[in-house]
Amino acid sequence: NFHHKKANIFICHRILQHHLIFEVRTMNFPSSVIALIVAIGINVAEGCPFASSAGSSKYLPKDHPFVPKFHRRAAEEGEESLWGTNGRLVGSPSLKNGAFDAPSMLTPIAEDGSTIADVVAAMSTSGENGDMCLIRFQQLPPPEEGNFSFDQNATDRLALKVYGDMMVERFNQLSGSDVNEGGIILAVTTIGYGGVESMCKAGIEPERFCDDRLLKTSVRWPQAITGYKLTNKTVDAIKAAIGTWRTTDDGHLPSMLWSFNGGQPDIGGSQVGYWGNAGGLFSKIVRCDDIPEKFMYYQYPNNTATGDFIDPETNQTLSEMVYQWWTDYGGYNDKGEQVFGESPSDSLPEECAACVDAIPCFDDTGCSLLDFESQTWNAPYNDCTPAFACLPCFPECKAPATEAPATPTMAPAT
């Protein structure tokens, strides 16, 4: 079990005003300094998605402070509310069948410094399921302050397309059976049907973005979709490749700076700040042998990858093909057990919809840190205390036999 020891600062703060925004975003660092920050171990590549959607906190980074999400921006009158009752943005990837939110491949999540990459590699070595792979959907929505609209700024909308095409082409060069020990197996991007609709309405490449094959897909928000074959042979090569990818101008760094310096276009940032926050890094551990052969080291025409690519054989977008397979597949937990069924946040009864943000407070770790008598949580879950009223929604969280539990009246966590 990946328990948290204490709530010291990891990366993210300013939670009440903006979801998981980096302080580095406001410091006007040049690319060389950002690269140094990344190189010494601060994970700034993935927008700190660790608490961006409800679900298990098992795979939070070691020492990451618990982050309750009781402070979301409320939709204004006349606006569509885009926060679903499952605690995720409407149109996000499904977390059914063993999917989970997890940190980056380089972020420690255990006392011994192991990362999610190490966990999966160990499963390949010790389990009976053969080599294991990790397939991930990194969600990067527009800024929440504009109610996640792709139309907030025309310059940013175009940059989203440009960076999506650029990054998938670059990351695809890291994928191949003869590159990085064959560890990086998949590189796909989509701007989501929400982004496609916005491009089409704006008249941007209409022959591309007004195509029903792009408009009628399952996921609303931009996604960076990647796959990794994780074994003792590949894990170090994958980590090294990702470390270089994040810290070089010909890798991921330009689009990272565009996001981190958001609102400061004079230093390479987006016009409007906070692109890519409130997203998530939705992951699933799968048997490598179960992945459709077509997806393994996918062969783009002329080895040139583009976003929202339409596979010529199936006449579907590659991102949709991968998503349909991924969401139906039963992922594995770290015990080597295949998991099917709805995610905890999708299985709460309707009367508990207001308690969806409290789900991490009542997982195995959270429940073990709950003092039923005082109705408070011990650190690092002490920010969960307002969620005690939601206890009736989580009947599996019970007081030890020696304690006489309080009986709260269920009410929304505030």
Side-chain angles (χ1 to χ4, degrees):
N1 289 328
F2 308 127
H3 290 187
H4 326 310
K5 287 175 61 180
K6 56 184 179 179
N8 64 354
I9 284 187
F10 186 70
I11 313 163
C12 316
H13 58 112
R14 295 164 59 190
I15 296 163
L16 302 187
Q17 297 176 343
H18 299 285
H19 296 299
L20 311 171
I21 307 302
F22 298 105
E23 194 63 32
V24 297
R25 175 195 165 277
T26 66
M27 293 185 180
N28 297 345
F29 288 141
S31 61
S32 59
V33 177
I34 293 287
L36 176 62
I37 292 172
V38 180
I40 63 175
I42 296 181
N43 170 35
V44 296
E46 291 167 322
C48 197
F50 313 123
S52 57
S53 63
S56 174
S57 60
K58 181 177 185 178
Y59 294 103
L60 282 174
K62 175 180 174 291
D63 291 345
H64 192 284
F66 174 76
V67 182
K69 300 186 299 304
F70 302 151
H71 305 280
R72 292 191 177 123
R73 171 190 178 277
E76 296 177 2
E77 186 176 354
E79 280 187 338
E80 176 186 7
S81 177
L82 292 173
W83 286 114
T85 57
N86 59 9
R88 299 188 296 278
L89 287 175
V90 174
S92 296
S94 169
L95 290 189
K96 71 178 183 180
N97 296 334
F100 55 91
D101 229 342
S104 83
M105 306 281 276
L106 303 184
T107 303
I109 58 175
E111 295 292 337
D112 63 1
S114 296
T115 68
I116 188 65
D118 297 314
V119 170
V120 180
M123 292 172 64
S124 294
T125 302
S126 61
E128 300 178 354
N129 296 311
D131 290 343
M132 304 300 288
C133 288
L134 188 67
I135 309 295
R136 326 193 78 179
F137 284 71
Q138 182 185 350
Q139 181 157 280
L140 303 161
E144 182 179 11
E145 288 303 312
N147 200 33
F148 304 104
S149 171
F150 288 89
D151 302 328
Q152 293 181 52
N153 183 275
T155 301
D156 287 348
R157 178 175 54 202
L158 187 60
L160 178 68
K161 177 193 79 71
V162 171
Y163 278 125
D165 289 341
M166 179 191 299
M167 291 302 127
V168 71
E169 166 57 17
R170 291 182 177 186
F171 199 72
N172 188 55
Q173 299 305 314
L174 306 180
S175 174
S177 59
D178 58 350
V179 184
N180 296 312
E181 300 290 348
I184 300 176
I185 63 172
L186 186 65
V188 185
T189 61
T190 174
I191 59 173
Y193 69 77
V196 169
E197 288 175 353
S198 180
M199 299 288 177
C200 178
K201 291 177 181 178
I204 299 172
E205 296 184 39
E207 70 285 353
R208 177 184 181 185
F209 291 114
C210 295
D211 190 318
D212 276 352
R213 293 171 294 181
L214 274 64
L215 290 164
K216 296 180 179 179
T217 52
S218 300
V219 179
R220 182 171 188 163
W221 312 106
Q223 308 287 327
I225 306 165
T226 54
Y228 307 90
K229 181 178 182 179
L230 288 155
T231 67
N232 285 344
K233 178 182 177 182
T234 67
V235 65
D236 288 339
I238 292 171
K239 287 181 178 181
I242 292 177
T244 301
W245 160 252
R246 293 175 175 178
T247 56
T248 53
D249 287 330
D250 59 354
H252 194 23
L253 193 57
S255 61
M256 290 164 56
L257 292 173
W258 180 77
S259 177
F260 300 151
N261 293 324
Q264 303 174 90
D266 56 320
I267 57 171
S270 58
Q271 300 289 318
V272 180
Y274 308 111
W275 279 83
N277 291 283
L281 220 175
F282 308 120
S283 307
K284 193 172 283 191
I285 302 170
V286 309
R287 292 181 69 249
C288 298
D289 287 345
D290 290 343
I291 298 174
E293 184 177 358
K294 188 179 189 69
F295 299 161
M296 297 289 289
Y297 316 114
Y298 184 83
Q299 295 297 305
Y300 290 92
N302 303 316
N303 199 33
T304 301
T306 59
D308 289 290
F309 178 74
I310 296 176
D311 178 73
E313 294 182 3
T314 63
N315 208 32
Q316 287 183 285
T317 64
L318 179 58
S319 58
E320 181 70 6
M321 292 164 58
V322 174
Y323 178 72
Q324 291 297 337
W325 174 80
W326 181 87
T327 194
D328 289 339
Y329 185 92
Y332 285 79
N333 59 26
D334 59 345
K335 298 177 183 178
E337 304 163 334
Q338 196 167 18
V339 178
F340 290 95
E342 297 298 322
S343 71
S345 60
D346 291 333
S347 60
L348 285 179
E350 184 176 352
E351 61 269 22
C352 292
C355 290
V356 67
D357 287 345
I359 288 173
C361 299
F362 295 95
D363 66 8
D364 291 344
T365 304
C367 192
S368 70
L369 294 173
L370 171 57
D371 184 321
F372 286 82
E373 184 174 357
S374 67
Q375 303 181 23
T376 61
W377 273 260
N378 296 316
Y381 276 56
N382 42 297
D383 283 339
C384 279
T385 295
F388 186 78
C390 290
L391 180 62
C393 293
F394 303 92
E396 67 280 3
C397 182
K398 299 177 181 178
T402 56
E403 290 190 48
T407 305
T409 300
M410 200 282 286
T414 57

